[in-house]
């Protein structure tokens, strides 16, 4: 309000001054009216409509008072003066309103122009001749050219623009559509090149002729660089992965005949990547025996949509072959545009490994057949060997008794009886082996283990007498029966007792062999053969029961292996340990007949 009062006062003084000057200079009403009008218009610029009204009224009043008849009075004597005063008032109000409106428009425009300065987008206005007429702050900082340097310059020259298509062609499209959007390369003041996305909007005059262009640009140099880098590194990873997996990719456009190969495909086919890939190149590398695979694939792929998974070989000029697996898919990406896209894997290594594995397997089968045969013959030799040597021993004894004078018929009979028994046993073993070969199951009859122990001792009684100082039986009475094969269990006992005697033969001093039978806490029948021999070396303990493991120069290493498989077949266990006082104990346990029955049910 204070501002308004001051303005109005100053305005009235100014108008007074103008009037006074005109009076003093003895000017006419029209001249004074003109100067007052100018003064009113200028004053009106300083404020709103009310001020213009006040100044216009004051101006008209001063004109009336000092220049219309009667002078120095507010009266009006003729109508013409009244008209000129009204005309002054109307003109003054009209002009001041107009001037104020123009001022407002200008203000708005200035504000809008300031807003354009605030944006980070580059805004350039150019006239129909592409001469720059507006250049915002962002354009200054991006291109390095100041507004005053850029204004009036031909834009394509200043920015050394590089267009994605010929300039004339681009202009035609732009004028036709009234807008254009694309990427441009510009050069900055310092000479560096940048990539911008550029949007152009065309302003036309009333007749539709181009008038000006509003161009907004965005700097995408960094983004493009990052994208390029990413693309490059992705391509690099892809190439590396293809190399590692020995997998290449390919594409074939049936319509255009275009063929694409990845770097790895070139390396699989062993062609220079500079060569343009063709189907003919593939044909040249195909193994002659597999060439029909390619022909079939091509025939099928050009037909309906299909998936392929095939294997074939390549034959190189130096005679090398490669095995390839090709997985491909034929499809139409657009009607009439047929594509075959796929991957080709070098599976030569895998094929060779497979081949080696197959070879190793058949070798293993052959070896195990030989081993099984060896084991079997060793087992027959070993098991039949025992009764045969017993027969020989008995035969010799028999001869000695015969040559006595008089011959001891009782001893001879005993010997012959034992020889018959042992021959029967050998025959029985051979029969068992035959049954085994035929796959017949072993005998399963209830047996008292102590009987088996006695029978086994009887078989080798002469050996025992010759080699062993003392044989002690500690056989528990009332043991449960076990279910088993009498002859096989005899074999186990003969083996264990023979081993014990052999071990004791290597040491001097007192020799004692204890054969024990007992019941363990779980109710199993246990038989143990304890000797006072050399004992077992700790390192050998884990391998004792393996076939062909032996520490004896004349040993075959089959006795314990056979014993172990017999005990296993009887659902029992066999083990060995060293005695604290020296020597070793070999034991085996067998489940009682009852449990086996239950298990069998
Ligand atoms: P072989 O008697 O032909 O060597 P075995 O399978 O019967 O084959 O025995 C394997 C090995 O176990 C023997 O070479 C020996 O080292 C060891 N062995 C077997 N029984 C005894 C024992 N009672 N005391 C010490 N070592 C033994």
């Amino acid at each position: 309000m204070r501002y308004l009062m001051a303005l109005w006062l100053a305005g009235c003084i100014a108008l007074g001054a103008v009037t006074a000057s005109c009076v003093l200079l003895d000017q006419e009403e029209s001249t004074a009216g003109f100067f007052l009008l100018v003064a009113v218009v200028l004053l009106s610029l300083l404020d709103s409509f009310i001020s213009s009204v006040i100044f216009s009224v004051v101006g008209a009043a001063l004109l009336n008072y000092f220049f219309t008849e009667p002078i120095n009075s507010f009266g009006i004597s003729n109508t013409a003066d009244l008209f000129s005063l009204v005309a002054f008032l109307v003109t003054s109000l009209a002009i001041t309103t107009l001037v104020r409106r123009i001022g407002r428009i200008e203000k708005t425009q200035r504000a809008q122009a300031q807003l354009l300065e605030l944006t980070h987008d580059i805004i350039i206005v150019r006239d129909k001749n592409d001469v720059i007429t507006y250049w915002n702050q962002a354009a200054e900082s991006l291109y390095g050219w100041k507004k005053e340097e850029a204004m009036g310059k031909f834009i394509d020259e200043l920015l050394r623009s590089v267009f994605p298509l010929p300039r004339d062609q681009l202009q035609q499209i732009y004028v036709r559509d009234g807008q254009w959007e694309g990427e441009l390369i510009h050069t900055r003041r310092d000479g560096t090149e940048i990539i911008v996305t550029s949007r152009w909007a065309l302003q036309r005059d009333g007749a539709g002729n181009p008038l000006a262009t509003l161009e907004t640009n965005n700097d995408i140099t960094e983004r493009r660089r990052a994208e390029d880098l990413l693309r490059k590194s992705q391509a690099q990873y892809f190439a590396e992965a293809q190399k590692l997996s020995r997998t290449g990719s390919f594409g074939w456009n049936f319509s255009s005949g275009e063929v694409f190969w990845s770097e790895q495909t070139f390396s699989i086919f062993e062609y220079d990547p500079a060569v343009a890939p063709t189907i003919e190149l593939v044909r040249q590398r195909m193994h002659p025996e597999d060439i029909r695979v390619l022909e079939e694939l091509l025939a099928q792929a050009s037909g309906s949509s299909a998936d392929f998974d095939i294997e074939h070989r390549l034959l190189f000029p130096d005679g090398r072959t490669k095995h390839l697996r090709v997985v491909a898919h034929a499809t139409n990406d657009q009607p009439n545009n047929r594509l075959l896209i796929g991957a080709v894997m070098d599976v030569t290594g895998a094929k060779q490994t497979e081949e080696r594995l197959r070879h190793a397997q058949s070798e293993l089968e052959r070896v195990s057949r030989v081993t099984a045969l060896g084991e079997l013959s060793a087992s027959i030799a070993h098991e039949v060997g025992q009764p045969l040597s017993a027969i020989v021993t008995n035969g010799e004894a028999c001869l000695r008794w015969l040559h006595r004078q008089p011959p001891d018929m009782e001893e001879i009979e005993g010997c012959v009886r034992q020889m018959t028994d042992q021959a029967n046993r050998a025959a029985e073993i051979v029969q068992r082996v035959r049954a085994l070969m035929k796959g017949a199951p072993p005998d399963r009859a209830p047996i008292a283990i102590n009987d088996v122990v006695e029978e086994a001792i009887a078989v080798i009684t002469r050996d025992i007498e010759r080699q062993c100082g003392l044989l002690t039986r500690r056989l528990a009475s009332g043991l449960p029966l076990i279910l088993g094969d009498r002859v096989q269990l005899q074999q186990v006992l003969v083996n264990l007792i023979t081993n014990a005697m052999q071990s004791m033969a290597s040491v001097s001093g007192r020799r004692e062999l204890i054969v024990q039978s007992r019941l363990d806490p779980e109710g199993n029948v246990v038989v143990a053969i304890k000797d006072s021999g050399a004992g077992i070396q700790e390192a050998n303990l884990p391998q004792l029961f393996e076939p062909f493991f032996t520490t004896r120069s004349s040993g075959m290493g089959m006795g314990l292996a056979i014993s172990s498989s017999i005990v296993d077949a009887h659902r029992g266990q066999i083990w060995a340990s060293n005695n604290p006082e020296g020597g070793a104990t070999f034991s085996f346990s067998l489940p009682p007949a009852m449990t086996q029955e239950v298990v069998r049910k």
Side-chain angles (χ1 to χ4, degrees), residues 168-197:
D168 297 348
Q169 207 178 323
L170 192 148
Q171 189 65 19
Q172 269 178 16
I173 298 170
Y174 173 49
V175 173
R176 186 194 64 201
D177 298 347
Q179 58 181 30
W180 180 81
E181 195 174 329
E183 282 181 17
L184 301 177
I185 299 174
H186 282 157
T187 304
R188 302 203 296 191
R189 186 181 196 159
D190 61 8
T192 50
E193 282 194 345
I194 54 170
I195 306 168
V196 296
T197 50

Side-chain angles (χ1 to χ4, degrees), residues 19-86:
T19 313
S21 311
C22 288
V23 171
L24 285 176
L25 294 170
D26 202 13
Q27 294 296 316
E28 284 182 17
E29 181 193 352
S30 57
T31 316
F34 172 73
F35 282 118
L36 279 171
L37 190 63
V38 171
V40 168
V41 169
L42 290 176
L43 285 168
S44 303
L45 286 176
L46 298 173
D47 193 51
S48 63
F49 178 70
I50 298 176
S51 301
S52 343
V53 173
I54 291 171
F55 292 136
S56 300
V57 170
V58 171
L62 287 169
L63 207 57
N64 178 19
Y65 191 82
F66 291 105
F67 295 98
T68 57
E69 290 296 334
I71 305 288
N72 292 337
S73 146
F74 286 110
I76 298 167
S77 54
N78 55 49
T79 348
D81 282 341
L82 182 65
F83 276 131
S84 60
L85 281 178
V86 170

Side-chain angles (χ1 to χ4, degrees), residues 499-500 502-503 531 535-536 544 549-552 555-561 584 586:
N499 279 349
Q502 283 168 347
S503 171
D531 65 53
I536 310 154
L544 283 183
F549 174 78
T550 180
T551 55
R552 288 195 263 269
M556 211 181 317
M558 285 308 297
L560 288 181
F586 280 76

